[in-house]
Amino acid sequence: MNHSTPEPKPVHLAVYDTFADWETGHTTAYLARAGRQIRTVGPTRESVTTIGGVRIQPDLALDELRPEDSSLLILTGADLWDTGDDLAPFARKARAFLDAGVPVAAICGGTAGLAREGLLDDRAHTSAVSFYLAATGYKGGERYVDADAVTDGNLITAGPTEPVAFAREVFGLLGVYEGEVLDAWYRLFHDSDPEAYAVLEKAGQ
């Protein structure tokens, strides 16, 4: 009998024009190093250009993405979240993921997209600042938490200046790093703590 652990489902990274490059680099790099497959999903399969001028060819289009084929949807920040409804379909996809019990992690402008979709009305969350989300007209202001990053069930949120805390929450939710290894990873990249490096070396990370 074969009792081998099944391969984890891919992590899906939303990509679109004006995607903020710096916000998910720690997350995707260390998920990949831990053996997780990263697949990019765009509005279509046409290439997109990040805010840093990097062109990305999406692996699949948004309408091809199904929650049951994924372990996590990451909604990256982008200027387009605040200039119209171009990215609203990604927030609707996030609703489908959460309804199916599949995690969603949103950073920066992605949190505003979730707010407009009503997904933050009843969940603890954070963002850049509270009044940024308040401007969306959402009803979840009382659930706003002034923290680096917040996990509520299957939903992670963070502001644009907290890519390391965002990654920490993703790793913890997916069980990629745990306990003192997760803490050491955060201290190394957030605080440049040299003692944390020794913990990671000992753990083979």
Side-chain angles (χ1 to χ4, degrees):
M1 295 177 64
N2 184 359
H3 292 289
S4 62
T5 305
E7 190 78 16
K9 294 177 181 177
V11 169
H12 287 90
L13 176 71
V15 295
Y16 17 70
D17 287 334
T18 72
F19 150 45
D21 310 58
W22 68 92
E23 293 176 349
T24 56
H26 292 84
T27 303
T28 53
Y30 279 84
L31 284 175
R33 290 186 72 163
R36 296 300 185 106
Q37 182 187 10
I38 309 296
R39 301 200 72 205
T40 52
V41 53
T44 67
R45 289 195 177 216
E46 295 293 313
S47 66
V48 299
T49 304
T50 73
I51 204 167
V54 177
R55 292 183 66 192
I56 298 175
Q57 188 77 46
D59 294 313
L60 70 163
L62 185 63
D63 62 7
E64 299 175 86
L65 176 62
R66 304 185 309 166
E68 57 264 38
D69 297 332
S70 183
S71 62
L72 172 71
L73 174 62
I74 300 174
L75 294 184
T76 53
D79 292 345
L80 284 180
W81 283 113
D82 301 318
T83 57
D85 296 328
D86 289 359
L87 301 186
F90 284 89
R92 290 196 289 273
K93 186 68 72 171
R95 177 182 291 280
F97 267 62
L98 293 171
D99 286 349
V102 182
V104 172
I107 188 167
C108 188
T111 63
L114 297 184
R116 293 186 192 98
E117 183 63 20
L119 295 173
L120 303 184
D121 290 350
D122 302 309
R123 294 176 172 91
H125 60 276
T126 194
S127 184
V129 285
S130 60
F131 55 80
Y132 171 64
L133 291 186
T136 68
Y138 84 133
K139 301 182 179 70
E142 292 184 357
R143 305 300 305 275
Y144 187 90
V145 181
D146 189 9
D148 293 347
V150 171
T151 299
D152 186 337
N154 278 330
L155 180 67
I156 295 168
T157 50
T161 60
E162 298 297 339
V164 178
F166 182 70
R168 177 195 63 201
E169 298 302 303
V170 169
F171 302 155
L173 185 63
L174 295 182
V176 172
Y177 300 138
E178 297 175 302
E180 69 170 8
V181 174
L182 179 62
D183 178 63
W185 185 92
Y186 179 74
R187 286 188 289 114
L188 178 62
F189 285 97
H190 190 265
D191 304 324
S192 301
D193 183 348
E195 293 181 8
Y197 185 77
V199 175
L200 293 175
E201 282 278 287
K202 184 178 178 182
Q205 301 298 329

